[in-house]
Amino acid sequence: MSTHMTVGDIQADSLVNPTCFKVWIKCSRTDPFRAGCDIFLGRGVGLVCPIVALGNYLSQRGATPGPLFRFNSGRPLTRQQLSSSVQSILHAAGYSGSYSGHSFRIGAATTAAARGVSDHLIKTLGRWSSDAYQIYIRTPVNSIVRVASQLVA
């Protein structure tokens, strides 16, 4: 079995105007038994919408068999290549530091918590089987200072 996602691993709720994509993840670092799982992408309200982005990518990529994320040659995009590219783009944009796949987990958990998403949904969205997601949530300094100032009276 190939571990790479393919076009067939993606299903839309509508061919004309999708509002949701179901993506079958065959395996991941958080899935040691390779059971696989579905993740769901919904419409975004900000500048970047996952539905629009994936739809645009799929229309450019076409339905040719092979890995979903690949180079024009058909060679699959690896995790290391993606991580290196993201790192280069962020550095070119003026962001210093080191970024990895875990940076996305940290960012997603932190953003969800800051927007008031309940703990059980953060856990579900991140596919955590334990409460380990809590160590990824970064609390902004201004939130800590605001609470601290409320305690001093």
Side-chain angles (χ1 to χ4, degrees), residues 109-117 122 137 140:
T110 299
T111 301
R115 296 213 172 135
V117 174
I122 293 173
I137 297 172

Side-chain angles (χ1 to χ4, degrees), residues 2 4-9 26 61-70 74 76:
S2 172
H4 298 288
M5 288 190 304
T6 65
V7 174
D9 293 325
K26 294 175 184 164
R61 186 205 176 279
T64 308
L68 177 63
F69 299 109
R70 64 187 192 149

Side-chain angles (χ1 to χ4, degrees), residues 33-117:
F33 302 110
R34 306 244 190 256
C37 71
D38 288 320
I39 62 168
F40 296 88
L41 304 176
R43 284 217 175 268
V45 293
L47 295 174
V48 179
C49 172
I51 300 300
V52 172
L54 185 55
N56 288 342
Y57 175 73
L58 290 171
S59 67
Q60 286 184 353
R61 186 205 176 279
T64 308
L68 177 63
F69 299 109
R70 64 187 192 149
F71 293 96
N72 289 335
S73 67
R75 188 172 47 100
L77 175 66
T78 67
R79 180 192 331 260
Q80 294 81 12
Q81 291 165 325
L82 176 62
S83 182
S84 177
S85 293
V86 168
Q87 185 96 319
S88 295
I89 291 166
L90 289 171
H91 285 181
Y95 294 95
S96 62
S98 179
Y99 301 91
S100 68
H102 266 63
S103 301
F104 291 100
R105 292 178 70 81
I106 292 167
T110 299
T111 301
R115 296 213 172 135
V117 174

